[in-house]
């Protein structure tokens, strides 16, 4: 426990909270489910205007000057008056999150005026596990806002800071619970026995998990592709959103066929149904230099984009040559390529060097659909960080369950594409795991369904593609209308 001195202004604040009985001792059940010998009830401060004003002014002053924000959002309900005071005194626009989204009127989860891409600072009274902050961040992020910071009065030192950090939110606190207890003891407000009980409680409950049951409360209406096109910083990413909206399809065909001739033929058949065609050009024994121009001609005729599933994985200098040269000249005909991040961000720099001047886009492999793969956890988080740092070139991710990622939902400027989609769940003998269009788009938070064998092996590929298109698009519409 830190023994650093608390400033006189913080001491005064702590003593005032004690004086109005906002600090209570006994046995209390917290939101996280654990029992605590101390309870902080800051709802009382609305009845003490000068204290409310002092807390509000001190709280916003604690946010580092280097922290950008365009909007404020107080966690309902205790932090709403604090956020309101800050908003009016600092002239910063405020948003409100509805704790219960109504099924009438506008049915909005977020009230207020904002533009997707703006940065919102979360205001909260205190943090234990961080669950309340995450419940507020989720609908804000789903609405296209960036949430990177939260400022609070009291850190209960029970894992909230760490849980929020794992979800991409930095926590700024005026003081810690142990500091509050120490001040009250030094000022003769607490008996030694009470202090000991609180400190033992903190020591025994250093990491309180975010309750899993809260996850269902954050489903909000998804942004439409037209709105998300405006957020994309990359011309290919923008165009892909626009193609999906214009054609009303979020279907990608994985054209894993045996020859270039077969690939061109099936592209012609299913072109009207798809937004994207995924190729593995290095498996085609009859590849010729004019393959790319032939495929692009079909793509232009049917208004779909081309994604070469190259899965670059080498160092920057090598992938630059693989992308531009060799016998395939991928850069010349593929709108989109993808890459592993195993070699670090240098791989993005290398591909970007050649791809960005041509207006191309890159997908990062954040997850994979094969059983036992290692692309998960910290690897996925690293992919998201690299994408944010290169959002002018990275347009999104190959993913499996982006709704489960720390900090989800991810920036809506990024496209999520999920492989291994069939009409029924299951797997094959080589470890590929399949999920339905509905589960991938609606439940798991993806945007594009990547379908291979379900179309290629069908008796009538065009009819099969049409059925997948209908199911994938309906799941998208359901996601956009869900509260």
């Amino acid at each position: 426990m830190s023994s650093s001195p608390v400033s006189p202004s913080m001491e005064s604040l702590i003593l005032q909270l004690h004086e109005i009985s906002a600090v209570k001792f006994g046995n209390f059940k917290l939101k996280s489910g654990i029992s605590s010998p101390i309870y902080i009830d800051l709802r009382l401060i609305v009845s003490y205007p000068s204290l409310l004003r002092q807390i509000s002014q001190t709280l916003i002053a604690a946010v580092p000057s280097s922290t950008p924000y365009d909007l404020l959002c107080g966690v309902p309900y205790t932090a709403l008056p604090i956020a309101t005071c800050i908003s009016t005194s600092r002239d910063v626009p405020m948003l409100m999150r509805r704790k219960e989204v109504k099924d009438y009127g506008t049915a909005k989860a977020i009230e207020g005026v904002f533009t997707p891409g703006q940065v919102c600072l979360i205001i909260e009274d205190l943090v234990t596990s961080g669950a309340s902050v995450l419940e507020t961040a989720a609908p804000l992020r789903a609405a296209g806002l960036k949430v990177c910071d939260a400022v609070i009065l009291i850190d209960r030192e029970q894992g909230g800071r760490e849980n929020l950090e794992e979800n991409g939110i930095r926590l700024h606190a005026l003081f810690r619970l142990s500091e509050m207890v120490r001040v009250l003891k030094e000022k003769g407000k607490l008996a030694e026995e009470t202090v000991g009980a609180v400190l033992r409680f903190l020591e025994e409950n250093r990491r309180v998990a975010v309750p899993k049951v809260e996850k269902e409360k954050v489903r909000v209406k998804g942004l439409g592709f037209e709105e998300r096109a405006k957020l994309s910083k990359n011309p290919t990413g923008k165009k892909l959103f626009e193609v999906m909206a214009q054609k009303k399809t979020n279907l990608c065909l994985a054209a894993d066929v045996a020859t270039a001739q077969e690939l061109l033929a099936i592209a012609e058949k299913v072109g009207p149904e798809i937004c994207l065609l995924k190729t593995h050009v290095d498996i085609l024994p009859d590849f010729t230099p004019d393959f790319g121009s032939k495929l692009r001609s079909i793509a232009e005729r049917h208004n779909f984009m081309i994604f070469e599933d190259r899965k670059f994985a080498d160092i920057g200098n090598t992938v630059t040559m693989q992308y531009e040269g060799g016998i395939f000249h991928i850069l010349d005909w593929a709108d989109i390529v993808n890459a592993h991040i195993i070699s670090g961000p240098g791989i993005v720099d290398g591909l970007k060097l050649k791809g960005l001047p041509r207006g191309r886009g890159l997908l990062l492999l954040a997850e994979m659909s094969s059983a036992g793969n290692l692309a998960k956890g910290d690897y996925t988080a690293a992919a998201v960080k690299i994408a944010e740092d290169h959002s002018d070139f990275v347009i999104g991710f190959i993913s499996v369950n982006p709704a489960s990622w720390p900090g989800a939902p991810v920036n809506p400027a990024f496209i999520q594409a999920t492989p291994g989609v069939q009409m029924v769940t299951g797997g094959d003998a080589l470890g590929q795991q399949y999920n339905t269009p509905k589960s991938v788009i609606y439940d798991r938070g993806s945007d594009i369904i990547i379908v291979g064998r379900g179309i290629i092996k069908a008796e009538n590929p065009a009819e099969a593609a049409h059925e997948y298109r209908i199911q994938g698009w309906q799941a998208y519409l359901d996601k956009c209308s869900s509260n």
Side-chain angles (χ1 to χ4, degrees), residues 334-353:
D335 300 295
I336 300 165
V337 292
N338 60 352
H340 292 286
I341 60 160
I342 190 68
S343 59
I347 192 170
V348 178
D349 292 323
L351 294 168
K352 184 176 177 178
L353 183 66

Side-chain angles (χ1 to χ4, degrees), residues 10-27:
M10 289 302 107
E11 282 191 359
S12 171
L13 203 54
I14 290 169
L15 292 172
Q16 288 181 75
L17 291 173
H18 182 266
E19 185 178 334
I20 67 171
S21 299
V23 187
K24 307 177 189 296
F25 298 91
N27 187 29

Side-chain angles (χ1 to χ4, degrees), residues 260 281 286-295 326-330 332-333:
V281 72
D286 57 340
F287 175 86
T288 55
D290 62 352
F291 168 81
S293 61
K294 289 180 179 179
L295 183 57
I327 63 172
F328 299 121
H329 294 280
I330 296 168
D332 290 339
W333 52 268

Side-chain angles (χ1 to χ4, degrees), residues 63-138:
V63 179
S65 58
S66 59
T67 300
Y69 57 91
D70 307 301
L71 306 160
L72 305 172
C73 185
V75 174
Y77 294 104
T78 306
L80 289 178
I82 301 174
T84 302
C85 284
I86 296 172
S87 174
T88 56
S89 65
R90 293 294 183 104
D91 198 25
V92 179
M94 175 178 155
L95 303 176
M96 290 196 299
R97 173 180 79 87
R98 283 189 176 274
K99 217 169 184 181
E100 303 87 14
V101 178
K102 307 299 183 184
D103 59 1
Y104 54 84
T106 60
K108 291 180 179 178
I110 301 297
E111 299 289 355
V113 178
F114 61 91
T115 301
Q118 287 185 300
V119 181
C120 187
L121 174 68
I122 290 181
I123 311 293
E124 175 63 308
D125 58 344
L126 55 83
V127 157
T128 303
S129 69
S132 295
V133 172
L134 292 176
E135 287 172 5
T136 295

Side-chain angles (χ1 to χ4, degrees), residues 426-438:
D428 67 13
L430 297 178
Q432 175 68 295
Q433 303 298 299
Y434 293 111
N435 290 286
T436 64
K438 175 80 171 182

Side-chain angles (χ1 to χ4, degrees), residues 4 105 189 205 366 473:
S4 58
K189 305 296 184 180
N205 295 273
W473 192 253

Side-chain angles (χ1 to χ4, degrees), residues 7 19 78 106 154 169 173 175 177 196 228 288 296 380 465 481:
S7 69
E19 185 178 334
T78 306
T106 60
I154 304 166
I169 300 175
F175 47 82
L177 186 58
R228 293 171 63 185
T288 55
R296 286 204 70 82
T380 300
S481 62

